[in-house]
Amino acid sequence: MRKQIAAANWKMNLTYQQGEELLDAILKENIELKEHQQAVFAVPFPYLIMAQTRLGNKKNYAAAAQNCSDQPAGAYTGEVSAEMLRSINIRYCVLGHSERREYFSEHNQSLAAKTQRCLERGITPIFCCGEPLSIREVDAQESFVEAQLKESLFHFSPEDISKIVIAYEPIWAIGTGKTASAQQAQEMHACIRGLLKAKYGQVADSIPILYGGSVKAGNAVELFSCPDVDGGLVGGASLVAADFLTIMRALK
Ligand code: PGA
């Protein structure tokens, strides 16, 4: 079975102590994940080692970075490289979240470079794509997301592409409480898988495609039960232990 992933995206929330408490509350429940299931916690950089230490020996639990540099190393004050992440054993990195695209001018080309850096270091990119409301309103979401994928990812080899996780996050659903319906999510996930299939063939069947945008304890089962939805990238609801535990339990 394709990997199913519940990924928490803490964004720029929680103090260090609150982060510790949240992780402890989640780990205390001791949810045993199946072989194909994974819980990933994308925490702020200064919390990575703490999260890594806490999750360390728990099977199928992993810490993730929320971003990395598109440069390998050097005079880039304030940046964190994929090599640095790898040196503390981080195996996942969220890339191209819409907030980074919007507020930090990330674009498809720089995201291609970031993806490359992660792949070089054996870090799985969780590559975010998704359309704004203005695009959805004119029903152009498929071509919009296609351009994002083509410009950032479609030059990679099938072997590299098989190591990527995709997160479809319609921007109009992020942090708004306005979730895409299960049908809207499935339609876009099927479209993304179709694009991957057209370009890469069978390997498309093994690539997890997560849904993000107001995933909650109350809608996770319905969303995750869609055939092409392989879990979620969860913001707000990942900050509440009970909610994220419910979302983890909703994985196929
Ligand atoms: P949300 O955020 O769950 O708060 O909508 C999702 C995300 O931005 O990844």
Side-chain angles (χ1 to χ4, degrees), residues 9 11 97 99 169 173-176 212-216 233-237:
N9 178 10
K11 309 190 180 184
H97 190 282
E99 288 148 16
E169 300 207 306
I174 296 177
T176 57
S214 298
V215 175
K216 305 280 176 218
L233 180 57
V234 186

Side-chain angles (χ1 to χ4, degrees), residues 6-250:
N9 178 10
W10 289 5
K11 309 190 180 184
M12 199 173 74
N13 292 301
L14 308 175
T15 62
Y16 186 87
Q17 290 74 16
Q18 289 168 334
E20 286 183 306
E21 284 168 21
L22 176 56
L23 275 182
D24 287 346
I26 290 168
L27 291 173
K28 195 168 69 143
E29 287 300 306
N30 229 343
I31 297 187
E32 277 196 33
L33 296 169
K34 300 196 182 112
E35 201 55 45
H36 66 278
Q37 296 174 334
Q38 191 92 35
V40 174
F41 297 84
V43 305
F45 287 130
Y47 306 175
L48 277 170
I49 289 180
M50 175 276 283
Q52 182 86 324
T53 307
R54 278 178 156 68
L55 304 171
N57 50 9
K58 250 189 107 54
K59 196 163 160 266
N60 295 355
Y61 285 67
Q66 298 178 7
N67 179 33
C68 76
S69 173
D70 60 357
Q71 299 296 322
Y76 300 98
T77 302
E79 289 291 276
V80 173
S81 70
E83 184 179 20
M84 291 171 179
L85 295 174
R86 181 57 201 230
S87 71
I88 56 165
N89 225 4
I90 295 301
R91 299 305 175 95
Y92 286 92
C93 182
V94 176
L95 292 179
H97 190 282
S98 63
E99 288 148 16
R100 296 217 53 90
R101 292 176 188 259
E102 183 178 352
Y103 307 134
F104 303 97
S105 309
E106 293 195 0
H107 47 76
N108 295 341
Q109 284 71 30
S110 64
L111 291 168
K114 290 182 183 212
T115 304
Q116 171 83 39
R117 299 293 165 224
C118 283
L119 290 169
E120 282 165 3
R121 297 294 165 188
I123 295 169
T124 300
I126 301 178
F127 181 89
C128 302
C129 58
E131 79 286 354
L133 186 59
S134 57
I135 295 288
R136 172 65 64 164
E137 280 171 346
V138 295
D139 201 26
Q141 58 274 11
E142 295 196 354
S143 55
F144 186 89
V145 168
E146 181 176 3
Q148 289 181 318
L149 298 178
K150 279 194 168 153
E151 289 171 26
S152 294
L153 300 182
F154 278 14
H155 56 289
F156 287 111
S157 68
E159 200 199 330
D160 278 342
I161 228 60
S162 74
K163 298 176 183 149
I164 288 173
V165 171
I166 291 178
Y168 168 64
E169 300 207 306
I171 299 171
W172 46 271
I174 296 177
T176 57
K178 198 169 155 191
T179 320
S181 67
Q183 190 196 333
Q184 285 173 319
Q186 170 56 27
E187 269 169 22
M188 281 307 287
H189 283 231
C191 160
I192 291 168
R193 200 172 310 284
L195 293 166
L196 290 166
K197 213 167 227 167
K199 171 78 184 163
Y200 291 103
Q202 261 206 328
V203 79
D205 289 326
S206 66
I207 298 175
I209 306 176
L210 315 185
Y211 169 79
S214 298
V215 175
K216 305 280 176 218
N219 61 22
V221 168
E222 193 191 358
L223 285 163
F224 296 177
S225 65
C226 297
D228 286 294
V229 177
D230 305 310
L233 180 57
V234 186
S238 75
L239 302 174
V240 179
D243 290 355
F244 194 66
L245 285 161
T246 303
I247 291 166
M248 285 168 64
R249 290 191 175 101

